[in-house]
Amino acid sequence: MNTATSPGRARKLILVVIDGLTPDVFEDAVARGTAPTLAALHEAGTYRRAHSTFPSLTPVCLATLATGAHPDIHHIPHLVWYHRAEGRLVEYGSSFGALRAAGTRRSIKDAIVEMNAKHLSREAVTVFEALEDAGLTAAAVNTPCYRGRTRHLPTVPGFGGPVEGPRRFFYYNLFESDVTGAPLAIRTRSGGSIDAYAAAVGRWLVTRDGFDFLFYYLPDYDYASHSLGPGGAEVALERSDGAVGALAEAPGGPDEFLERYAAVVCSDHGQTHVKQAVRLQDSLTQRALVTASNRAGMVYTDEARKVAERLAREDAVDVALFREDGVAIALRDGGELQLDPGDGGWQRRAWHALSNPNAGEVILSAAPGFEFADLGGRHHVGGGSHGSLLDGDSLVPMLVVGAAAPPSEIAGVAPLVLAHFGVEAPARELTPA
Ligand SMILES: [Zn+2]
C-alpha cells in the first residue's frame, strides 16, 4: 500500500485519541487481531511508544494534544485546581462525588465551557485555530479541548454558551454544527454509547468529506479501564476499534480509507492498577489547600518546602515537586535535586507542570499502586488510574499512517498535523527556571 503524501496537496488527516489506552494493550490487540481496524492501520503505518505530559490526566493531556504545548504554556494544571484570581476550586469531573463537592452546575460549566473559553491560555494556539486561520476546515468530535474560530450555540437552550469551536463541531449532542442523525451520546456509558455517537458522527463526516482535519476522541475505553483495570477492558477496546472501523468503512474499507486520509492514532495517557487510596490532606498540619484526584495531587500553600518534605515521606508519594526562589526542585528517593528542563525524561515533564501559573506550589506524583482520593473521597481501588510521572501512567501508543514519523511525545502531535498541511506551528520557547 502506498501511503506517501502526493506532493503539493496534503491528504486529509484524522487524529484518533483512544482515552487511557496503554501501549501494552494496544500492541497485544494488534498482535492478536482483536482490534482489526487498528491492526490494519498499524500494518500500514509507523509505530512507537511515546510519552504523555504531567500530570498525566485527561484535561491536561488533551490540552497538550490540541496545542502542542505542555501545561506551562497551555495553563490547564489538573482535573481539579484552585483558581487564584477567582478564589475558588475548578473541578472538571474527577467523579460524580467530586462534582457534587465542587458544585455540579459550576463544574459542568467549567468542564464544557470555561476550560476552553477562559482557562486554556490564549497563547497556546490550538490546532483547530491554526488550521482554520490557514483556510482549512477543522472538525472535532467529543474532545473536551476544542477551542476554534467558529461560534456555536448549544442544542439545549439556556445551557452556557455560545462557545468557540472548530467549524465542524460535535460535543455529546450538546453542540452539533450539523444535523447528522447520530444517537444520544449519554445513554449507557458502560455500554460504549459515547463512542457509538462518535462513530455515527464520524461516518457522516467521512461520507461527506466534511473536513481537512478531524480530532476524533473516544473516551469509553478509559471509563471501562478505570473500573476493570488496564488489560481488563478488552471488550471496550473492541468497541473503540469499531468506532475507528466506522470511519474506515465509509469510503469502502481500510485501503480506500488510507488512500484518502492520513491518520494518527494515540492515547492521552496510560493507566496502572490501584491497590490503595490515601487522603493527602490527612498528613498535613500546615495551612494548605489540597487538590487531588487519581494519581496526582497539588497543594496550594505558603509553606511549599515544609509541605513537600512532609508529603515526600509518605509511602503513597513517589515524587514531591516545589519551587523555591525561582528554582524547581524534586524530592525523590530520599534525595533532593534541581529539575533540569533539558532532561529527556521525567524531569522535563515535572518542570513543565511546576512552571504552570495555575499549578499548586507543591505537586505530588503517586507511587505505584497508590491513588489520591478526590474532593468527594472517591478513588479507583481495585481498578485502574493514572496521573503520575511513572511510565505506566505516562507511556502511550503512537501510530502514524501517511504523515511524518511518529513523535516521541504527545506534544509532538499538533506540530506534526500542522507540518502535514504546511501550516507554520506557533513558536514554543522552553524557558529554563
Ligand atoms: Zn484520559
Side-chain angles (χ1 to χ4, degrees):
M1 186 184 305
N2 177 20
T3 54
T5 308
S6 52
R9 212 183 86 228
R11 254 176 305 168
K12 292 156 187 282
L13 190 148
I14 299 176
L15 167 60
V16 177
V17 178
I18 300 175
D19 197 311
L21 180 60
T22 65
D24 284 345
V25 171
F26 175 82
E27 289 158 18
D28 183 60
V30 162
R32 293 193 300 118
T34 52
T37 304
L38 294 175
L41 295 179
H42 181 267
E43 172 75 23
T46 312
Y47 173 78
R48 65 168 295 166
R49 292 178 171 207
H51 270 103
S52 182
T53 191
F54 175 70
S56 44
L57 296 164
T58 303
V60 186
C61 301
L62 288 174
T64 292
L65 279 163
T67 63
H70 288 283
D72 52 328
I73 305 285
H74 68 52
H75 293 184
I76 305 298
H78 200 291
L79 265 166
V80 53
W81 55 283
Y82 180 69
H83 196 307
R84 292 183 178 91
E86 295 183 9
R88 68 179 185 91
L89 285 171
V90 173
E91 166 61 72
Y92 295 132
S94 300
S95 66
F96 287 119
L99 279 182
R100 268 200 299 276
T104 309
R105 273 187 75 83
R106 176 79 252 182
S107 297
I108 289 172
K109 192 168 185 214
D110 276 332
I112 298 174
V113 178
E114 306 280 286
M115 181 179 127
N116 289 274
K118 294 192 176 157
H119 309 155
L120 183 69
S121 168
R122 294 277 160 182
E123 281 173 37
V125 177
T126 70
V127 67
F128 308 111
E129 292 168 332
L131 291 175
E132 298 207 316
D133 288 348
L136 295 156
T137 302
V141 178
N142 287 348
T143 183
C145 188
Y146 55 71
R147 201 178 64 206
R149 300 292 192 209
T150 309
R151 199 164 168 269
H152 296 277
L153 289 166
T155 53
V156 182
F159 182 87
V163 300
E164 297 167 293
R167 158 108 167 66
R168 303 275 197 191
F169 179 46
F170 302 87
Y171 190 89
Y172 303 88
N173 304 105
L174 202 49
F175 294 95
E176 295 184 321
S177 58
D178 303 87
V179 177
T180 66
L184 280 177
I186 313 288
R187 286 173 294 143
T188 49
R189 187 70 210 273
S190 57
S193 63
I194 291 176
D195 290 359
Y197 169 79
V201 171
R203 195 183 295 117
W204 187 93
L205 283 167
V206 169
T207 302
R208 278 153 193 81
D209 215 12
F211 58 88
D212 294 296
F213 168 69
L214 166 61
F215 193 129
Y216 191 61
Y217 171 62
L218 303 173
D220 282 340
Y221 179 81
D222 186 71
Y223 185 83
S225 185
H226 270 298
S227 52
L228 304 168
E234 202 173 89
V235 177
L237 182 59
E238 287 170 26
R239 283 198 299 260
S240 310
D241 185 79
V244 183
L247 301 180
E249 283 154 22
D255 287 352
E256 291 80 2
F257 174 75
L258 291 174
E259 276 167 27
R260 279 170 55 183
Y261 298 98
V264 177
V265 180
C266 65
S267 63
D268 50 349
H269 50 72
Q271 275 220 13
T272 50
H273 290 280
V274 177
K275 300 187 184 83
Q276 215 177 320
V278 300
R279 274 169 43 93
L280 285 171
Q281 48 271 50
D282 292 348
S283 308
L284 292 177
T285 50
Q286 287 82 5
R287 225 174 72 88
L289 173 69
V290 175
T291 64
S293 170
N294 288 270
R295 291 179 28 77
M298 305 198 296
V299 187
Y300 295 80
T301 176
D302 297 331
E303 302 177 85
R305 174 175 280 277
K306 272 190 195 158
V307 167
E309 285 177 347
R310 174 68 195 85
L311 291 175
R313 294 202 298 271
E314 294 294 312
D315 290 342
V317 173
D318 176 34
V319 192
L321 304 160
F322 67 101
R323 279 181 165 280
E324 191 174 62
D325 304 326
V327 175
I329 295 167
L331 305 178
R332 188 175 206 179
D333 299 328
E336 174 169 334
L337 63 89
Q338 188 176 328
L339 289 174
D340 174 9
D343 169 67
W346 67 272
Q347 286 193 42
R348 194 168 68 91
R349 282 179 279 130
W351 184 90
H352 282 298
L354 209 48
S355 306
N356 179 349
N358 288 329
E361 279 76 19
V362 178
I363 307 181
L364 293 318
S365 177
F370 281 94
E371 193 170 45
F372 303 140
D374 68 25
L375 283 178
R378 306 298 161 89
H379 52 73
H380 303 97
V381 169
S385 185
H386 50 89
S388 83
L389 283 163
L390 294 171
D391 274 355
D393 291 352
S394 302
L395 280 174
V396 303
M398 182 66 72
L399 170 67
V400 179
V401 196
S408 61
E409 56 172 9
I410 62 170
V413 171
L416 178 150
V417 172
L418 296 182
H420 177 78
F421 289 105
V423 174
E424 201 177 327
R428 303 255 179 263
E429 292 295 323
L430 182 72
T431 320

